[in-house]
Amino acid sequence: QIQLVESGGAVVQAGGSLRLSCAASGRTFSSSNMGWFRQAPGKEREFIAAINWNGGHIAYAAFVRGRFTISRDNAKNTVYLQMNSLKPEDTAVYYCAVGRVMSTKWEQYDDWGQGTQVIVSS
């Protein structure tokens, strides 16, 4: 089993930056595929980015438009989401997920964290 805990969410002004972290406990992280998703109030959950076990394959949603970067540090059992040029529409709860394959679909992941709140003020 693997446990995921997101952190780094905060209230930030439009145009600012945040780095979200997803810390994993357990012994499967280094061989796991990871994804980031978000869900805004009144909106459906949407895919942000995914990264395979060694970082060699990365996928981004179109809305990222170069603003977000996913990365991982297997030595620290942590996956990151660097978010720059934040916009009010980025306000959401951000979740990380772990799965056996890379996917843009929430239902293809096996486990997920509790989420961390990001609020971007205008």
Side-chain angles (χ1 to χ4, degrees):
Q1 297 184 22
I2 188 168
Q3 304 293 321
L4 306 176
V5 179
E6 301 95 334
S7 63
V11 178
V12 63
Q13 294 182 5
S17 298
L18 286 173
R19 188 176 74 162
L20 306 184
S21 298
C22 178
S25 60
R27 299 190 181 277
T28 63
F29 180 80
S30 294
S31 59
S32 298
N33 303 286
M34 305 295 298
W36 282 100
F37 294 78
R38 69 184 186 184
Q39 188 164 25
K43 302 290 186 179
E44 63 187 1
R45 184 166 47 239
E46 64 180 343
F47 168 78
I48 302 171
I51 187 168
N52 83 320
W53 71 274
N54 68 355
H57 294 87
I58 294 174
Y60 292 106
F63 76 83
V64 169
R65 298 170 60 184
R67 297 185 298 125
F68 295 179
T69 303
I70 188 172
S71 63
R72 68 190 298 161
D73 187 338
N74 287 349
K76 297 180 179 179
N77 286 357
T78 301
V79 62
Y80 303 97
L81 184 68
Q82 177 68 45
M83 305 189 295
N84 300 322
S85 301
L86 285 163
K87 306 173 182 179
E89 52 263 44
D90 294 319
T91 295
V93 177
Y94 285 70
Y95 300 90
C96 65
V98 58
R100 287 162 285 184
V101 297
M102 280 187 64
S103 179
T104 63
K105 299 182 181 299
W106 177 264
E107 62 268 24
Q108 291 190 287
Y109 286 85
D110 299 314
D111 291 286
W112 54 92
Q114 86 290 342
T116 186
Q117 176 73 62
V118 172
I119 298 175
V120 184
S121 61
S122 59

